[in-house]
Amino acid sequence: MEAFQVQAVDNPENNTVAYQYSLKAAFADPSSNRQKNYYHLLFFLQLERTSGILGDTAVQEFRSIVLSSSINTNFQAAHYEGGVLLEDTPFEGKYQTFDFPVTLELPKDLGTPTGVIAVLRSVPEEYYRFFSAVNRQRVNPDLPFAEPVILFTNVKNGVGVFSGYSQDFLAARIK
């Protein structure tokens, strides 16, 4: 995984900084086994700042990076709380590279972005279907002629999804 800072623009009016990044992530999908695999790829921005009387105490904070829904395709969808949901149909059994543009506006006093943590979750189909439907519903909330979104659920007499996942993570410094 790599994270490149493209631009940082100071906004003195509201005391923020707008950051633009290019996030590159890659992983190998398991060998073709004629079974679909589903993933949730998340990114967290690592922020560091100093505090204390002499500025000698380092404080770290992690913020979820929410991607724009403009990256949505038939096989990937931006998750509303961060990251992207992936179905392996286009790259089944292959090494796949993804490039995501990110724009964040953060308060200056929050800290300096120093790194990105990538978390790759292997999720069941039910997780993918539920959160993809929630994403489609959130993208088109007030369009009266839009196709209605039926939420997938595997909860008897309720709405939601009951599932689990396994995950692995990798940290990278911002270049």
Side-chain angles (χ1 to χ4, degrees):
M1 198 217 25
E2 296 179 311
F4 299 98
Q5 182 172 320
V6 178
Q7 188 176 6
V9 179
D10 216 11
N11 187 348
E13 288 179 15
N14 58 1
N15 202 27
T16 61
V17 179
Y19 296 97
Q20 290 183 340
Y21 295 100
S22 175
L23 295 177
K24 294 181 187 283
F27 66 92
D29 188 53
S31 298
S32 177
N33 55 6
R34 298 181 186 238
Q35 177 182 344
K36 289 184 183 179
N37 294 309
Y38 301 90
Y39 303 98
H40 186 180
L41 179 60
L42 296 112
F43 299 103
F44 296 93
L45 186 65
Q46 178 182 5
L47 298 159
E48 291 183 3
R49 65 177 161 36
T50 55
S51 66
I53 297 171
L54 301 173
D56 58 350
T57 306
V59 178
Q60 288 187 352
E61 182 179 336
F62 296 91
R63 289 274 174 117
S64 180
I65 297 176
V66 178
L67 301 172
S68 165
S69 60
S70 65
I71 67 164
N72 291 356
T73 67
N74 288 340
F75 303 106
Q76 74 181 28
H79 192 285
Y80 67 95
E81 289 184 335
V84 61
L85 299 164
L86 302 165
E87 179 185 325
D88 76 342
T89 300
F91 57 90
E92 186 175 343
K94 298 178 186 161
Y95 186 80
Q96 182 66 27
T97 302
F98 299 94
D99 190 4
F100 301 109
V102 176
T103 301
L104 301 169
E105 189 166 350
L106 302 171
K108 282 184 185 179
D109 61 352
L110 201 56
T112 304
T114 58
V116 174
I117 308 291
V119 178
L120 180 63
R121 293 178 177 169
S122 179
V123 300
E125 181 179 6
E126 293 83 5
Y127 180 103
Y128 176 85
R129 288 178 61 192
F130 175 76
F131 285 109
S132 294
V134 169
N135 179 65
R136 284 193 310 277
Q137 194 175 53
R138 292 175 69 93
V139 169
N140 300 318
D142 296 323
L143 299 176
F145 301 111
E147 188 74 28
V149 176
I150 311 284
L151 286 180
F152 172 84
T153 183
N154 67 358
V155 176
K156 198 172 202 172
N157 298 323
V159 177
V161 66
F162 183 78
S163 69
Y165 55 80
S166 62
Q167 70 180 15
D168 198 7
F169 65 93
L170 179 67
R173 303 299 283 172
I174 295 175
K175 297 176 185 178

